[in-house]
């Protein structure tokens, strides 16, 4: 279907890809993974022809069509929504324009009629006569209502644009579908629809995503970029992660007999296969994991940060009491009449259809903002640590290096020592000279890792996290997720990472303009409960 031959990419002295040879076959979904800077997005741009490799070439089977999820949210601002979707199938759209131009001629001739008839037959073969209704159906599935279909793209808000661009990429059943971070700016319901769509998609899908739940739901293969090469592994992301961890452990156990290692790997494959078969995310398209050759499993060269949250003291039974909190900003009611009481051991997924409401709620709980009405009180034995959505305030002093930046949050003389701080930063993958970086050159992911270091230094027994996975790579997300699962204190988190919410939270609190929904439930159970769905729609109406 799609093949890559002798592909190399070099920027200056840096070699990104070195003589890569691989192919992507029909009916499979490939999740492209790799450390930050490994070249995931660059590889997708090469596959789609947006940039050229240094050497080598990409070949798409003759007669096949490729579609790419657009990253330019302004490219179609002058076009209507429905038209923008149909532009996703370029050959069909060009043919439609040609037909429309012929029929619009004031001096329509017999010759024009013959030409239109020939083009019409081709148009029919391509499904052209149902194209508008197909595009409209796709838009409706993605939450774009009928009354928006003839609106200009430039008049849509950002989230609606993302959905239209998604419909554009999916339109016309492309033979190869390429998507870079498709779940960004989508809500959980829309992501669920996309997961189901792709899990039953018969053609080739190549996707880059930091959403592990999404990768698990749709991928038949994980394509790992490492050491300038790309290797395909059967199975989804969780299987790749767990098997690579097992392989790394075995590599460290040099004295273990080969036969014992093989038996351990085979048992792991059998266990995971049983879990996949029972999983809600399992699809008929997934290949049986049992077919994997144990010798195919390789340890990963990835570095995972050591994120470990410890508590200075254990909290008592009373954690947080919220009574009647309400907030309106610029005439928009974010939430009202919010009541709940947090107990020891609660790990809460705090959600809302309005992300501004969630962030404002956190700001109130941290006394950075005030409510219009209501009050809240923290238990006397609690101490809180907060990871805000926006962290630029913490990095105002651009001259500070990371050692000095972290020293600001040390509590003891020992913690202020450079050896201690460097060791701490080293665990967060700021080793050697990296620890002396200035604050003004940090990437978004590096800033979040610094903020997590700060939180760990504070040793709080209550953690508040507003979109904690933003800017992090998969390795950091996985380590962060594991740490929160093991944390003995209380957690309040808001995230678009489904796996984070599912594996950490034991309670869901949803704040709405008309009150609160509070349930002891897993995230999946909360979203799938029909009674809760009905209540949610009512609370936002």
């Amino acid at each position: 279907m799609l093949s890559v031959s002798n592909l190399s990419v070099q920027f200056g002295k840096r070699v990104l890809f070195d003589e890569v040879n691989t192919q992507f076959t029909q009916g499979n979904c490939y999740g492209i993974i790799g450390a930050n800077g490994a070249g995931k997005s660059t590889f997708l741009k090469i596959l789609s022809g947006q940039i050229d490799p240094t050497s080598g070439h990409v070949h798409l089977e003759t007669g096949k069509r490729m579609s790419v999820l657009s990253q330019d949210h302004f490219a179609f601002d002058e076009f209507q929504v429905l038209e923008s979707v149909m532009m996703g199938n370029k050959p069909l759209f060009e043919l439609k324009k040609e037909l429309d131009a012929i029929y619009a001629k004031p001096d329509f001739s017999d010759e024009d009629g013959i030409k239109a008839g020939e083009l019409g037959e081709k148009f029919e073969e391509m499904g052209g006569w149902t194209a508008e209704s197909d595009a409209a159906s796709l838009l409706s599935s993605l939450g774009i209502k009928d009354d928006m279909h003839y609106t200009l793209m430039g008049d849509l808000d950002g989230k609606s644009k993302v959905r239209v661009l998604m419909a554009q990429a999916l339109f016309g059943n492309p033979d190869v579908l390429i998507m870079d971070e498709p779940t960004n700016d989508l809500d959980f319901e829309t992501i669920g629809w996309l997961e189901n769509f792709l899990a039953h998609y018969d053609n080739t899908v190549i996707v880059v995503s930091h959403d592990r739940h999404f990768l698990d739901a749709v991928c038949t293969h994980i394509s790992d970029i490492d050491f300038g090469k790309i290797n395909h592994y059967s199975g989804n992301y969780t299987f790749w992660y767990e098997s690579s961890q097992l392989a790394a452990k075995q590599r460290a156990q040099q004295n273990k007999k080969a036969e014992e290692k093989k038996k351990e790997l085979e048992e792991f494959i059998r266990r995971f296969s049983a879990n996949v078969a029972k999983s809600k995310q399992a699809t008929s398209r997934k290949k049986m994991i049992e077919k994997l050759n144990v010798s195919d499993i390789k340890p990963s060269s990835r570095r995972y940060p050591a994120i470990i949250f410890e508590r200075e003291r254990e909290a008592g039974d009373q954690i947080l009491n919220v009574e009647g909190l309400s907030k309106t900003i610029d005439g928009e009611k974010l939430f009202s009449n919010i009541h709940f009481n947090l107990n020891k051991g609660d790990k809460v997924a705090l959600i809302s259809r309005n992300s501004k409401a969630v962030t404002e709620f956190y700001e109130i709980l941290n006394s950075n903002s005030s409510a219009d009405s209501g009050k809240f009180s923290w238990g006397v034995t609690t101490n809180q640590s907060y990871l805000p959505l926006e962290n630029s305030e913490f990095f105002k002093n651009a001259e500070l290096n990371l050692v000095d930046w972290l020293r600001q949050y040390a509590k003891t003389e020992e913690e202020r020592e450079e050896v201690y701080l460097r060791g701490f930063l080293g665990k967060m993958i700021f080793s050697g000279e990296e620890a002396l970086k200035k604050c003004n050159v940090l990437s978004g992911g590096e800033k979040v890792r610094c903020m997590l270091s700060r939180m760990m230094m504070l040793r709080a027994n209550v953690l508040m996290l507003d979109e904690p996975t933003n800017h992090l790579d998969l390795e950091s997300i996985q380590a962060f997720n594991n740490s929160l699962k093991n944390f003995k204190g209380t957690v309040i988190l808001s995230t678009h990472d489904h796996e984070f919410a599912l594996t950490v939270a034991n309670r869901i609190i949803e704040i709405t303009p008309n009150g609160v929904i509070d349930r002891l439930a897993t995230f999946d159970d909360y979203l799938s409960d029909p009674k809760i769905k009905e209540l949610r729609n009512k609370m936002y109406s």
Side-chain angles (χ1 to χ4, degrees):
M1 175 69 75
L2 180 67
S3 61
V4 174
S5 303
N6 302 319
L7 185 140
S8 295
V9 176
Q10 186 169 346
F11 297 107
K13 294 182 179 180
R14 186 185 176 206
V15 177
L16 206 57
F17 296 103
D18 181 24
E19 293 291 314
V20 171
N21 291 280
T22 191
Q23 59 182 353
F24 302 89
T25 57
Q26 185 172 354
N28 290 322
C29 178
Y30 299 86
I32 309 292
I33 65 170
N36 278 355
K40 300 183 291 295
S41 294
T42 299
F43 185 67
L44 293 193
K45 289 177 181 176
I46 290 170
L47 291 181
S48 60
Q50 295 177 54
I51 62 175
D52 294 322
T54 306
S55 62
H57 65 273
V58 176
H59 175 70
L60 178 63
E61 188 179 333
T62 304
K64 302 299 183 182
R65 184 172 71 87
M66 178 186 290
S67 181
V68 181
L69 176 62
S70 176
Q71 300 294 310
D72 185 350
H73 292 184
F74 305 100
F76 303 92
D77 279 1
E78 301 303 315
F79 299 94
Q80 291 181 345
V81 166
L82 194 64
E83 186 181 23
S84 298
V85 174
M86 294 174 64
M87 290 169 75
N89 187 341
K90 190 173 181 180
L92 176 67
F93 187 74
E94 293 298 323
L95 188 56
K96 181 180 183 298
K97 284 203 302 184
E98 191 175 354
L99 271 171
D100 289 344
I102 292 174
Y103 284 123
K105 291 175 70 173
D107 56 344
F108 188 86
S109 64
D110 290 343
E111 188 177 324
D112 290 328
I114 294 171
K115 179 68 172 176
E118 292 172 352
L119 293 177
E121 286 183 18
K122 189 176 180 182
F123 193 61
E124 183 176 12
E125 289 173 6
M126 296 173 70
W129 302 120
T130 62
E132 283 198 18
S133 61
D134 292 342
S137 177
L138 195 53
L139 283 167
S140 297
S141 298
L142 285 162
I144 304 297
K145 296 179 180 179
D146 293 354
D147 59 3
M148 298 171 65
H149 291 187
Y150 294 95
T151 304
L152 287 178
M153 286 285 283
D155 293 334
L156 298 183
D157 61 38
K159 290 186 177 181
S160 295
K161 272 189 181 180
V162 168
R163 286 172 170 79
V164 176
L165 293 175
M166 182 67 67
Q168 182 189 74
L170 300 176
F171 178 68
N173 197 40
D175 300 291
V176 178
L177 177 60
I178 292 181
M179 298 185 293
D180 192 354
E181 296 293 353
T183 63
N184 283 1
D185 297 316
L186 297 182
D187 58 31
F188 288 115
E189 287 83 358
T190 308
I191 292 172
W193 179 90
L194 182 61
E195 287 176 351
N196 186 62
F197 182 94
L198 294 179
H200 296 90
Y201 195 65
D202 291 330
N203 295 332
T204 304
V205 181
I206 304 171
V207 60
V208 168
S209 177
H210 286 87
D211 188 327
R212 295 159 300 152
H213 187 276
F214 179 77
L215 292 176
D216 278 353
V218 305
C219 289
T220 61
H221 294 75
I222 293 299
S223 303
D224 184 27
I225 299 178
D226 212 358
F227 299 115
K229 303 291 186 182
I230 299 177
N231 292 302
H232 300 312
Y233 299 97
S234 296
N236 59 20
Y237 175 78
T238 297
F239 182 78
W240 172 86
Y241 170 73
E242 293 189 9
S243 61
S244 66
Q245 293 293 297
L246 177 59
K249 185 188 78 172
Q250 288 197 344
R251 183 176 63 175
Q253 297 170 336
Q254 296 294 339
N255 296 328
K256 197 167 187 178
K257 293 180 181 178
E259 198 58 39
E260 290 179 17
K261 289 184 178 182
K262 183 178 179 181
K263 186 177 179 181
E264 186 178 22
L265 285 168
E266 288 174 339
E267 176 56 35
F268 166 77
I269 292 169
R270 279 194 295 272
R271 175 175 57 81
F272 197 89
S273 298
N275 290 340
V276 166
K278 295 174 183 176
S279 168
K280 290 180 181 179
Q281 285 75 45
T283 71
S284 57
R285 227 165 51 111
K286 280 199 168 70
K287 295 184 175 181
M288 293 300 289
I289 301 297
E290 290 95 333
K291 294 180 181 178
L292 182 68
N293 188 322
V294 292
S295 64
D296 291 341
I297 300 175
K298 302 284 194 305
S300 170
S301 66
R302 301 290 196 282
R303 295 176 64 198
Y304 293 83
I307 302 175
I308 303 170
F309 292 107
E310 296 177 339
R311 299 170 296 166
E312 192 168 63
R313 61 179 177 179
E314 185 176 350
D317 292 333
Q318 179 57 42
I319 304 297
L320 171 66
N321 184 51
V322 174
E323 297 180 21
L325 285 184
S326 300
K327 184 72 175 184
T328 297
I329 296 179
D330 296 330
E332 181 183 12
K333 185 162 66 170
L334 300 180
F335 51 84
S336 68
N337 200 30
I338 306 299
H339 294 267
F340 64 82
N341 190 63
L342 284 194
N343 302 308
K344 185 177 178 179
D346 281 344
K347 292 185 177 179
V348 174
L350 181 69
I351 66 174
S352 176
R353 290 180 181 174
N354 187 344
S355 59
K356 288 191 293 184
V358 172
T359 295
E360 184 63 23
F361 195 79
Y362 279 122
E363 290 295 295
I364 291 170
L365 292 184
N366 284 275
S367 300
N368 298 327
S369 181
S370 57
D372 296 335
S373 60
K375 60 183 181 178
F376 68 93
S377 59
W378 290 102
V380 294
T381 60
T382 66
N383 56 320
Q384 305 86 40
S385 183
Y386 174 41
L387 180 67
L389 181 67
E390 173 55 53
N391 58 38
S392 58
E393 285 290 315
F394 291 85
F395 298 95
K396 276 186 172 180
N397 190 342
E399 292 306 308
L400 283 179
N401 62 41
L402 297 193
V403 172
D404 292 334
W405 183 88
L406 190 58
R407 186 178 279 120
Q408 299 173 99
Y409 307 105
K411 292 183 177 182
T412 66
E413 284 303 318
E414 180 190 0
E415 290 176 355
R416 292 186 182 92
E417 294 291 331
E418 183 161 341
V419 172
Y420 179 91
L421 294 166
R422 276 180 168 271
F424 205 96
L425 288 166
K427 292 176 183 177
M428 295 300 289
I429 322 181
F430 293 111
S431 54
E433 292 302 307
E434 291 280 305
L436 298 178
K437 273 187 173 183
K438 300 290 187 182
C439 289
N440 61 342
V441 299
L442 296 178
S443 68
E446 288 173 329
K447 285 182 179 178
V448 175
R449 279 191 276 131
C450 284
M451 293 295 290
L452 292 178
S453 299
R454 168 186 171 273
M455 292 183 76
M456 288 188 280
M457 292 276 282
L458 295 176
R459 294 185 178 86
N461 51 32
V462 178
L463 306 179
M464 287 177 281
L465 311 163
D466 191 1
E467 295 296 340
T469 64
N470 281 3
H471 306 296
L472 292 180
D473 57 23
L474 275 169
E475 292 71 48
S476 297
I477 291 172
Q478 188 74 56
F480 196 177
N481 198 162
N482 292 341
S483 176
L484 291 181
K485 286 194 292 186
N486 296 326
F487 181 60
K488 302 300 183 184
T490 299
V491 177
I492 311 173
L493 70 92
S494 305
T495 179
H496 281 86
D497 188 304
H498 193 123
E499 193 70 12
F500 233 76
L502 179 62
T503 57
V504 174
N506 56 22
R507 180 177 175 182
I508 314 299
I509 294 178
E510 184 162 6
I511 55 175
T512 81
N514 298 301
V516 65
I517 306 173
D518 186 355
R519 295 289 186 276
L520 286 171
T522 68
F523 189 63
D524 277 352
D525 287 344
Y526 183 85
L527 291 182
S528 62
D529 189 318
K531 291 182 179 179
I532 293 177
K533 282 184 181 179
E534 184 179 347
L535 178 59
R536 294 180 75 204
N537 290 333
K538 181 180 178 182
M539 298 290 270
Y540 286 97
S541 61

